Amino acid sequence: MPRLSEVIAELDALWPPERAESWDAVGTVCGDPDAEVTRVLFAVDPVQEIADEAVALGADLIVTHHPLYLRGTTTVAAGHFKGRVVHTLIKHDVALHVAHTNADTADPGVSDALAGALGLRVTGPLVPENGLGRICELDHPETLADFAARAAKRLPATAQGIRVAGDPDMLLRRVAVSGGSGDSLFGAVRAAGVDAFLTADLRHHPVSEATQAASSSGPLGLVDAAHWATEWPWCEQAAAQLDTISDRHGWDLRVHVSKTVTDPWSSHHTSPGAPN
C-alpha cells in the first residue's frame, strides 16, 4: 500500500499546486504523510456529510474540489462546523486533500469533465492564457432548448435545475462551458464567437449585459446550471485518473466517488408573481 505522501505526489502531478490562483487554498489540509492509503473518496465539498461518508466507507483519504479553509482561520475547534470536520477526519485517520483552481485549469480539468458529461467534443480552452473553460462543438446542430434539456438529463439533479436565457429555438453549433462560477468569462465567450455558454452562478447584471450585447453582435444563449452539478463530473474523471495511477504502480487502491448531493439549495418553487 502507498503512503499518503506518495499518493499526494501523484495528485500534485495531475493538478500542480503552483497553477492555483493566488487567493486559493489548495493542497493537504490534514493527514499523516507516512500513513498508508488503501481507499480514497472523491467529492466536491469538504462538508460534514462527506467526512461521515468517508468514515463509514473506511476511506483513508478524501479528495475534494472545494477548499475547507479558503479564508484564514485561528481555530479548528469542534464547536465550529469546519472545525468539526477536521476533528472527525483526524479522529478517524482520514486525510483531506484539495484541488481547486489548479484542477480548473488542468488538462484534463474540471471543464473537460463537464464537456464529457454533456457529450461535447472539446476543441480548445476558452481562455488560452490559463486554460480555463473549454470551447466545444456539437455533433449535430441543436436548439438552445434541446441543449438545455441535454444538460438537465446528463448533469446531476439539483433543486435549481437548469435556467436558460435566449431564444429557445436558436440553433447551436459551437458552445463554451466552464465548471463553477463563470460570469467573469463573458469577455472570453464573446471573443470565442460561440453560440451558447453553459456555466453556473450566473448573476442578473452580467447576464442582462451579455444578452444585450449579444443582441447587437449576434445571439448568445446562456445555460445556468447549479455550481455543484457542473463540478461533480470532475470527481468521476479524477477518480479514473487515480485508478490509472494505482494500476501503474500496483497499489490496488479502492477509489470511490461520492454520490451525496452537497449542493446547498434544497428546494425550488415557482412564484405566481406579485399582483400588479
Side-chain angles (χ1 to χ4, degrees), residues 31-172:
D32 180 352
D34 292 325
E36 287 189 347
V37 176
T38 61
R39 196 181 296 267
V40 182
L41 178 66
F42 283 85
V44 175
D45 298 298
V47 293
Q48 189 64 45
E49 295 93 329
I50 298 302
D52 293 340
E53 181 178 349
V55 171
L57 186 65
D60 310 292
L61 169 63
I62 302 172
V63 180
T64 65
H65 182 51
H66 290 153
L68 178 63
Y69 288 106
L70 189 55
R71 304 288 184 268
T73 185
T74 59
T75 178
V76 292
H80 186 270
F81 68 94
K82 292 188 177 185
R84 190 160 60 251
V85 169
V86 174
H87 276 252
T88 300
L89 298 179
I90 293 176
K91 186 182 298 183
H92 294 90
D93 295 320
V94 182
L96 172 61
H97 186 78
V98 174
H100 191 211
T101 53
N102 49 328
D104 287 333
T105 58
D107 184 10
V110 171
S111 293
D112 293 289
L114 174 58
L118 294 170
L120 304 174
R121 185 171 65 256
V122 173
T123 61
L126 175 60
V127 186
E129 295 78 13
N130 62 10
L132 195 62
R134 292 294 182 265
I135 298 173
C136 309
E137 291 183 352
L138 298 166
D139 289 334
H140 306 284
E142 67 184 39
T143 65
L144 176 60
D146 287 340
F147 181 63
R150 174 200 292 245
K153 179 180 180 181
R154 293 178 178 238
L155 294 180
T158 61
Q160 172 186 314
I162 302 294
R163 300 190 300 176
V164 180
D167 180 358
D169 295 324
M170 67 179 291
L171 279 179
L172 312 181

Side-chain angles (χ1 to χ4, degrees), residues 220-240:
L220 175 67
L222 299 176
V223 181
D224 182 37
H227 190 120
W228 175 85
T230 64
E231 294 181 332
W232 184 84
W234 172 80
C235 295
E236 292 196 320
Q237 175 181 275

Side-chain angles (χ1 to χ4, degrees), residues 150-275:
R150 174 200 292 245
K153 179 180 180 181
R154 293 178 178 238
L155 294 180
T158 61
Q160 172 186 314
I162 302 294
R163 300 190 300 176
V164 180
D167 180 358
D169 295 324
M170 67 179 291
L171 279 179
L172 312 181
R173 294 173 176 82
R174 296 175 69 244
V175 300
V177 301
S178 182
S181 303
D183 61 16
S184 65
L185 301 176
F186 279 130
V189 169
R190 285 191 290 270
V194 295
D195 303 312
F197 179 38
L198 184 149
T199 188
D201 297 340
L202 291 179
R203 296 170 296 163
H204 175 90
H205 293 296
V207 169
S208 178
E209 292 174 2
T211 54
Q212 291 299 311
S215 66
S216 59
S217 61
L220 175 67
L222 299 176
V223 181
D224 182 37
H227 190 120
W228 175 85
T230 64
E231 294 181 332
W232 184 84
W234 172 80
C235 295
E236 292 196 320
Q237 175 181 275
Q241 289 175 287
L242 183 56
D243 268 331
T244 299
I245 292 168
S246 174
D247 290 344
R248 185 170 71 241
H249 289 295
W251 285 346
D252 195 29
L253 288 177
R254 283 158 288 181
V255 182
H256 306 262
V257 176
S258 175
K259 302 295 195 297
T260 302
V261 178
T262 55
D263 184 82
W265 301 104
S266 59
S267 63
H268 173 83
H269 300 273
T270 301
S271 171

